Structure formats: C-alpha cells, structure tokens
Amino acid sequence: MNDRNVDQLLDAWLDLGPDVAPDRVHSAVALEVRTTRQAFGWSRWASERFPSMNNPIRVAVALAAAAVIAFVGLRYLVPDNTGDPDPTATPSATASPTATPVGVPLLPPFGTPLDPGTYTIDAVPGSIVSGSGVAATLSIGDGWESGGWYVMNPPDFTKQVSFWTIENVHEDICDPESLPDPVIGPTVRDLVAALDAQANTDMSRAVDIEVGGFTGKRVIVRPVLTADCLADGDWKYFSTPHGAPGRGFGNEWHGPDTLWIIDVDGHRVVVITSTSTPDDTEASESIARVMRSLEFEVN
Amino acid sequence: MARAQEGDHDAFDQLALHITDRLYAVAYRILRNGPSAEDATQQALVSIWRQLPKLRDPDRFEAWAYRLLVNASYAEHRRSRREAPSGSLTDGTTDDPYLSVHDRDQLERGFARLSTEQRAVLVLQHYLNLSHDEMAEVLGIPVGTVRSRLHGARGAMRAALEADARPAPSGWQA
C-alpha cells in the first residue's frame, strides 16, 4: 500500500460522519456565553503583558480610561491616611530591613506616568498585593509608568516589575482545575518546590538571593513551548489569596518570568520581573536597579 | 463580528450559528466520539467568546477558531482518557459505497493508534483540505513540523492498514 492509497482511503473515510452539531450544543453555548465574561480586550492585555504595540492611539485611550477608573476607585476606597501621591519625593536613605515607608508616596493609580523617585506599593484595597501584610518601597529612574501595583514602561513595554502574593500554584498550567487543595505551604521553599513540580513549565535552578536585607530564592519560569494551552493563551500558573489568576506569559512572546521569592519576616513576597526580549541589556539593568532599591516593611 | 467582539450576545449567537456545525464535524473526526466532540465544540465556542476581544485580525477568525477547537479537542481527549479507557471510537458513521465495512474498521483501528496531534493534521488535510501553510497557522506550529507530523501520521496509518491486511499467524485464526 502506498501513500496515495492511504490518502484516498482517508479522504473517503473522513468524509463520513456527522456534519451537523446537535441542537443541544447551540443551546448550551448560547446559555454559557451569557454567564461568561469576555476577556479584557487589548488595553488590559497590553498593560499586563508585553504586546506588540502597533496601535498607540488605542492604547493611549485605554490607558487614560483605566487611569480614570483607577483614580475613582482609589479616591473612594483607599483610606485617607495614605496621602496624595507625590512623585517628586526624595528617595529613602535607609537600607535597613525594618525601614519604614513613612513619607514615601504611594504608587499612583494605573496609567500614571512616574517621575523618577521613590514610591511605596502597599495593600491597596482590592489589589493583588492586598493581604500580603508587607509594603514595598522602590526607587525608579526615567520612563516608568504606574500599574497601581507594578511598574511598566509604555509605549514600548519592554520591562516590568510587579508585586504578588502567591497563595497556590497550578500543578499544570494547562489545567485550570489543577490547584492543590489544601493550598501549598507558606514558605519560600514550598513555592519553589511547587513551581519546580509544575507541568508544562520549566524552572531554572533556585539561586539564593538577598533583597532589601531579606533572604529568598530567585527562579526563572518559562512555559514549555509545545504545551497545548499556549496557542489560545488560556493558561495560568498561580493564584492569589483573592482568587485572582496569576499572570500569564506573554501572549506572543512566551518568554520567561524571573520570580524573586523573598521571606520578609515570615511573609512570602514575590516580585516578578520580565523583559520583552531576553537580550535587552538596558531593560535588564534598569530592572536590576529597581531590585537593588527595594525595601520592605511588615504592616 | 465587531458587535460580538464588543460583547453582544445575540451577535455572537449568529456567529456561532455559522461555525458550530463545522467545528463539531472537525472535533468529531479528531475524537471519533459524539459526546466528546460536543464537549470540545462547546469548550471551543466558549473560548472563542471569551477571547474574541483579543482577536486583532477578523480575517483570521476561521483559522483562529479552528486552533481553539483543536486545542479543546486535545484537552477533551486527555480528559476522556483519564475518565475511561478507550473503547470503540465510532458512533453513527453513515454508510459509504466506496468503503467496505472492512476498510472502515481498519481505518478506525489505525486512527485509534494515532496521537491526537497526528489525528488533527490528518483531519485538517483530508477533511478541511487545508494547505500546509494553513495547517501551520491553525496549529500554531512551523510548516516543517506540519509536514513531519503528516509524514508520521500517514506512515502510522499505512503500517496499521498493512498489519491488519496481513494474514494472522497460523493458530491465531478464530
């Protein structure tokens, strides 16, 4: 039997079979889409990942809209004692692990361009860092913009530094139901072990680190490029205490995330850094400067 | 399309009406099982709804939809394999005057031995008549990988058909 024979048999055989879906498929889908929210569109995606920026006007509009929403949210949700943002504040001089961010402005709402200086990321109600019990202070140079609980550099989006409280880790990034129950343990070691065991990601060797006077581990996590779920962007690799899904890898660039997992007096804090291209030295050095500036305070 | 991207349920219903049958037919041919194909089609359509705002080029909708369907079929295959051992793959295929019952049985058994990735390339080529380039776009893999998978799948089918065609060793015949 040659390939031509096989092809002819396959042509004929695959023409057999149903060509019409049962009506229940139509009705089930119609019902399900009415109870399923659509993913956030381009603007949200652009802010959380690193897209190709080929539509700057649309992004600008989206950023402005998001900034208004975030401003209104903070205006009514944040306690008064957080004070108004003051991006021109003097960088903190202390490097002690128990440094206090008193007098350092809170990172302003999403979409606010940042002047060089020092900012605090604290438990903004409803935000992902809320519940960590730890405030972080960071110093930044030119070209950064606030994401509320992270910093980025639109319109290029070549670098990002974000702050997370990771509660649980999916056993398989392609299986949204694979969160362990009970959740993983609370230590740095527990999180490293869970990431190491995760299916459809590769994790680097864990390196000992010290950030802001606190010790921890740094790992690099990247998706396995042949994972089925990468094609449709439908993957998750950790969850937060609020049930919010953890960040995904870039939709078009399946690049690695660097996770700085730090034990701040018994509180596990995770800082995730990433660049849009692996060999972007300038972005890497800029991120390194931010990481060196970090200080933490337990609330 | 634009209205569906903006969250209009009725517009999406119309869009779904046009593609559901085609998606189901492809899922059925990959999975060879009606209920699994229904589940995969449903999952794919919900994924299409959820991710539609992210689709930047409406001209690529069909390839994108097939990609979500193939991925849903992979996931459904994994799930059904965990839940129950694979048995007979067919249900409800219609008669074809050009294929004997024996041919169909051989093809079913050969197809059952393929991976879902191999099944997908065969279905995309022989049922949807896609080119290698189009298959690469749907599957999100390089064209070379498409050719390699097709070569492996066709070889596996031929081997299965030839093995079934060989007379059984003496003493094995019922």
Side-chain angles (χ1 to χ4, degrees):
Chain A
M1 180 175 290
N2 57 33
D3 281 351
R4 186 179 171 82
N5 299 136
V6 176
D7 284 342
Q8 287 172 340
L9 282 170
L10 285 167
D11 281 340
W13 179 62
L14 286 171
D15 268 346
L16 304 177
D19 289 320
V20 177
D23 285 342
R24 57 181 171 271
V25 175
H26 295 279
S27 51
V29 169
L31 180 65
E32 194 161 348
V33 299
R34 279 162 177 75
T35 56
T36 303
R37 291 181 62 184
Q38 281 189 314
F40 286 95
W42 220 74
S43 57
R44 168 91 182 219
W45 183 73
S47 69
E48 293 184 351
R49 299 173 183 148
F50 294 116
S52 302
M53 300 302 295
N54 57 5
N55 195 342
I57 295 174
R58 196 169 167 189
V59 171
V61 170
L63 288 176
V68 170
I69 292 166
F71 175 77
V72 170
L74 285 175
R75 176 92 178 167
Y76 292 101
L77 292 175
V78 176
D80 289 343
N81 62 3
T82 53
D84 290 332
D86 179 7
T88 59
T90 307
S92 167
T94 176
S96 159
T98 55
T100 169
V102 169
V104 178
L106 196 67
L107 196 70
F110 174 91
T112 307
L114 299 171
D115 288 334
T118 301
Y119 301 89
T120 295
I121 295 177
D122 205 343
V124 179
S127 81
I128 289 174
V129 287
S130 173
S132 68
V134 174
T137 302
L138 70 162
S139 297
I140 55 167
D142 286 319
W144 290 93
E145 187 167 304
S146 175
W149 44 272
Y150 63 98
V151 289
M152 55 187 167
N153 68 323
D156 297 329
F157 291 100
T158 56
K159 56 190 179 183
Q160 192 176 58
V161 180
S162 54
F163 296 81
W164 298 86
T165 306
I166 295 181
E167 182 182 64
N168 209 356
V169 173
H170 288 269
E171 290 172 347
D172 181 347
I173 62 166
C174 292
D175 182 356
E177 306 301 319
S178 66
L179 280 172
D181 183 14
V183 300
I184 64 169
T187 68
V188 170
R189 184 188 293 264
D190 292 328
L191 179 53
V192 169
L195 290 167
D196 193 26
Q198 189 172 54
N200 284 316
T201 52
D202 288 329
M203 192 192 82
S204 69
R205 187 174 63 86
V207 176
D208 290 329
I209 54 168
E210 183 175 314
V211 178
F214 297 99
T215 59
K217 298 280 187 185
R218 186 185 66 218
V219 297
I220 299 172
V221 178
R222 69 183 74 223
V224 173
L225 294 180
T226 54
D228 293 340
C229 59
L230 284 192
D232 63 1
D234 192 16
W235 60 88
K236 299 176 179 68
Y237 73 112
F238 61 75
S239 67
T240 71
H242 310 287
R247 59 178 279 142
F249 302 92
N251 215 18
E252 293 179 350
W253 172 69
H254 300 308
D257 279 340
T258 300
L259 280 74
W260 310 69
I261 308 168
I262 307 153
D263 181 351
V264 181
D265 285 345
H267 299 263
R268 185 175 62 202
V269 171
V270 181
V271 183
I272 299 183
T273 63
S274 47
T275 59
S276 61
T277 51
D279 53 355
D280 188 338
T281 309
E282 188 179 337
S284 298
E285 288 175 354
S286 174
I287 287 171
R289 284 193 292 275
V290 172
M291 292 304 298
R292 282 195 295 272
S293 78
L294 276 178
E295 298 171 5
F296 298 102
E297 181 193 16
V298 178
N299 291 323
Chain B
M1 172 79 76
R3 282 171 48 217
Q5 282 190 298
E6 290 166 2
D8 185 325
H9 293 115
D10 294 334
F12 183 77
D13 288 345
Q14 292 301 312
L15 188 64
L17 206 58
H18 281 94
I19 58 169
T20 299
D21 289 344
R22 199 73 170 155
L23 295 180
Y24 174 76
V26 171
Y28 179 89
R29 282 156 178 81
I30 293 173
L31 296 165
R32 311 301 301 170
N33 177 285
S36 293
E38 286 181 33
D39 286 347
T41 305
Q42 192 173 326
Q43 286 167 28
L45 283 163
V46 174
S47 290
I48 290 168
W49 161 254
R50 278 200 303 117
Q51 309 214 25
L52 203 53
K54 295 180 180 176
L55 179 66
R56 286 185 241 170
D57 183 359
D59 289 342
R60 307 179 93 163
F61 172 75
E62 193 168 313
W64 178 73
Y66 281 132
R67 179 187 289 204
L68 294 183
L69 177 80
V70 169
N71 287 328
S73 299
Y74 291 163
E76 181 58 29
H77 180 69
R78 282 196 303 272
R79 189 189 66 76
S80 59
R81 205 170 40 186
R82 279 200 301 268
E83 289 181 356
S86 60
S88 172
L89 289 171
T90 56
D91 60 353
T93 53
T94 52
D95 288 337
D96 181 278
Y98 304 105
L99 282 175
S100 68
V101 172
H102 180 66
D103 284 340
R104 291 206 303 268
D105 187 50
Q106 281 185 318
L107 286 158
E108 285 290 356
R109 278 187 282 155
F111 205 72
R113 292 172 194 155
L114 302 183
S115 68
T116 45
E117 288 82 2
Q118 289 176 319
R119 293 184 196 186
V121 290
L122 289 180
V123 171
L124 295 182
Q125 182 176 59
H126 291 277
Y127 181 67
L128 290 181
N129 298 317
L130 298 188
S131 68
H132 291 180
D133 285 344
E134 290 168 334
M135 291 162 68
E137 184 180 0
V138 166
L139 296 170
I141 57 178
V143 175
T145 307
V146 169
R147 292 199 184 99
S148 168
R149 276 191 197 171
L150 271 174
H151 179 75
R154 193 184 289 117
M157 284 301 288
R158 187 176 61 225
L161 293 168
E162 287 174 349
D164 281 347
R166 277 198 294 270
S170 60
W172 280 31
Q173 292 183 2

